[in-house]
Amino acid sequence: MIFEDAHWVDPTSLEVLGRAVDRIATLHVLLVVTFRPEFNAPWVGQSHVTSLTLNRLGEREAAAIIARLVENKELPAAVMAEIVERSDGIPLFVEEMTKAVLEAESEGAARRTAATGQSLAQAVPASLHASLMARLDRLGPAKEVAQIGAAIGREFSHALLASVALQTGAELELALDRLIQAGLLFRQGTPPQATFLFKHALVQDVAYSTLLRGARRTLHARIADALLAASDIAPEIVAMHLQRAERSAESISYWRKAGEQSARRANDREAVSHFRRALSLLEAQPETNERWRTELAILSQLGPALMNVHGWAAAEVGEVVERAADVGRRLESSQELAPSIANLWVFQFSNGRLDAAEKISDDLLRIGRELNNSDVLLQGHHCAWPVCWGRGALADAVGHIDAGLALYDEERHAHHRFLYLGHDPAVCGLSIASQLYSTLGYTTRAIDTGERALALARRLNHEPSLVHGLWFVVESQMTRCDVAGATANTGELLKLAEQYGFPQPRAIGRVYRGWALASAGKAVEGLALAEEGITLLERSGTRIFL
């Protein structure tokens, strides 16, 4: 398995790659990953991982590359020596300098081409840039096609290129053939289904850098419009081109859509990245009520995504939920404020600040009653039942759960799991009710309510809600000493927590799995796992559950 240029990896792909590294420890698999020195590879240091620093090529290796490219053509020894010296052992530069020399018209021109390089290592990129620029300039009209392709991305489809380019079909094919023959592009498949890939990211960078700002902006606008006319296009791709076209308002909308789409797929790291891109563009917008509403809507979804990535008590969560509450207070609508203060509730509760959390739940209930708004009331009860549980008022907690479930509608409140607390309120209420009933001695009710919680979570197909439900159903099973049930559910809980990277469930799942192992007679193994989970939980900053 080969992964190249890991320094450009997106968050989800990095997570997948990290898991692949973990899983091949005992398999007959060779995984090769290349990346630049500034990339911090999270798997370095593991016993089955070997790190190699690739040094610059020596004279012999550089000469071998030159000889392969020259083939049967004659290249004076002095020119070859100059290429070896000027390329400073960088393979791509060796190739590009050699090709530039071969394309020169005479030996004298070849010597002048080779002499344009710089001998100092830090000057090589600029020289490589100049060499690639010269090669592109010699391609005539094909240069414009390279520029369009570079604006689309490192890889692009023939269909998208054709819809953006202004050339005729024949002109486009001729230009693409020239770029392929020059070794700057690779083609896979046949038009119109073909895709093209720049030989190296630096080739794309050079082609893109030759565009003036106005032309670049116009080109990205054409690409964005072509993508918008198509179907099933990733919103983050559209958002990126709209941003580069300086159509900020539209770009913000599509970055937000990308974040929402990722959140609904439980790709919370991607969601965080997309929401932050939208917020960065919003900073330049005038401070109007419309701007505050948009920012609040994004922050209210960013908060739950961060909770799933870092844990409820993390500083990153606190920063966002406090900002959301501040923005919400600038608006006159109490209803718009509700998600922000509900998410602030999670941060306060997870840090053990029950008084602050109770005040927020009281505020939500008050706002819901004043507005006669069942959505806000539902979330007021959602925030109230854990506070009552935390204070030992178990009957009051059950009362809030019953009141919340009476307001809940599976379809109408589907968006709540992405807006409030990062999970579905009914799954939360049912699973915590299961634990409360076990504590109060109502075993049959506890079992029935726990089964209802997990059935609903599976039907919703929302992994964070299922993990949340498993968490508290396992607590209920532990309270009843149901070792078999806790063993089965902690297995699923840990699997999902690992799969989706949920830090708190991953920690608490180890604690509960440790209890199940110890209860089954494996005390040493169980204690070790529980201690590992407690350590992870402490690192997340969570206090209320310790």
Side-chain angles (χ1 to χ4, degrees), residues 161-228:
L161 179 69
S163 66
V164 175
L166 301 178
Q167 291 95 333
T168 65
E171 291 171 339
L172 184 61
E173 295 307 318
L174 180 61
L176 287 168
D177 287 341
R178 291 203 64 185
L179 289 166
I180 293 167
Q181 290 167 5
L184 298 175
L185 276 186
F186 299 128
R187 177 169 53 202
Q188 184 174 18
T190 56
Q193 284 76 37
T195 59
F196 299 88
L197 176 72
F198 281 100
K199 171 189 173 180
H200 194 282
L202 289 175
V203 178
Q204 178 198 356
D205 289 345
V206 169
Y208 188 71
S209 70
T210 59
L211 288 164
L212 297 176
R213 178 176 174 177
R216 188 179 297 181
R217 184 173 58 243
T218 301
L219 183 53
H220 280 294
R222 294 213 313 263
I223 295 169
D225 290 336
L227 291 171
L228 289 170

Side-chain angles (χ1 to χ4, degrees), residues 210-399:
T210 59
L211 288 164
L212 297 176
R213 178 176 174 177
R216 188 179 297 181
R217 184 173 58 243
T218 301
L219 183 53
H220 280 294
R222 294 213 313 263
I223 295 169
D225 290 336
L227 291 171
L228 289 170
S231 59
D232 298 326
I233 299 298
E236 61 268 26
I237 303 298
V238 178
M240 183 268 291
H241 288 293
L242 287 169
Q243 182 175 343
R244 293 182 178 177
E246 300 180 22
R247 287 157 58 174
S248 296
E250 295 171 89
S251 181
I252 290 168
S253 175
Y254 274 90
W255 281 123
R256 179 178 168 184
K257 286 181 182 178
E260 291 169 349
Q261 185 180 89
S262 295
R264 279 157 176 72
R265 295 172 177 170
N267 292 335
D268 290 294
R269 285 175 175 78
E270 299 293 335
V272 168
S273 175
H274 299 325
F275 285 139
R276 290 201 184 280
R277 293 286 290 269
L279 290 172
S280 69
L281 292 175
L282 262 179
E283 290 177 359
Q285 300 295 310
E287 295 187 353
T288 62
N289 279 348
E290 187 59 34
R291 179 254 172 93
W292 298 132
R293 285 192 177 89
T294 302
E295 182 175 355
L296 180 59
I298 295 170
L299 288 169
S300 295
Q301 297 177 90
L302 174 59
L306 285 168
M307 292 173 199
N308 288 329
V309 172
H310 299 293
W312 297 340
E316 295 91 338
V317 173
E319 179 183 345
V320 167
V321 297
E322 287 170 0
R323 170 65 180 172
D326 179 59
V327 172
R329 293 186 190 99
R330 303 185 190 196
L331 299 170
E332 296 179 0
S333 171
S334 297
Q335 184 175 347
E336 289 178 299
L337 177 62
S340 62
I341 62 174
N343 291 327
L344 180 59
W345 173 91
V346 175
F347 181 69
Q348 302 288 27
F349 182 76
S350 301
N351 278 286
R353 302 166 189 157
L354 283 181
D355 288 344
E358 186 172 29
K359 183 181 183 306
I360 292 172
S361 63
D362 289 345
D363 285 344
L364 282 169
L365 289 169
R366 175 183 54 78
I367 292 170
R369 292 185 184 111
E370 288 176 355
L371 298 175
N372 193 25
N373 187 301
S374 60
D375 286 9
V376 178
L377 271 175
L378 168 60
Q379 291 302 328
H381 291 298
H382 188 187
C383 292
W385 66 64
V387 173
C388 292
W389 180 24
R391 292 203 184 282
L394 306 190
D396 291 342
V398 171

Side-chain angles (χ1 to χ4, degrees), residues 468-543:
H468 192 79
L470 286 165
W471 177 336
F472 294 106
V473 168
V474 168
E475 281 195 16
S476 177
Q477 292 167 326
M478 291 167 61
T479 303
R480 303 193 308 270
C481 292
D482 178 2
V483 178
T487 299
N489 283 331
T490 53
E492 185 177 9
L493 171 61
L494 284 171
K495 180 180 178 181
L496 288 169
E498 292 290 343
Q499 182 177 353
Y500 290 95
F502 301 144
Q504 280 177 199
R506 186 164 49 197
I508 206 72
R510 281 167 165 74
V511 177
Y512 295 168
R513 183 72 168 184
W515 176 89
L517 289 170
S519 299
K522 300 178 181 179
V524 175
E525 183 181 350
L527 182 60
L529 189 61
E531 288 177 341
E532 179 186 334
I534 290 171
T535 300
L536 292 173
L537 203 58
E538 288 174 339
R539 287 178 188 168
S540 75
T542 303
R543 295 185 177 92

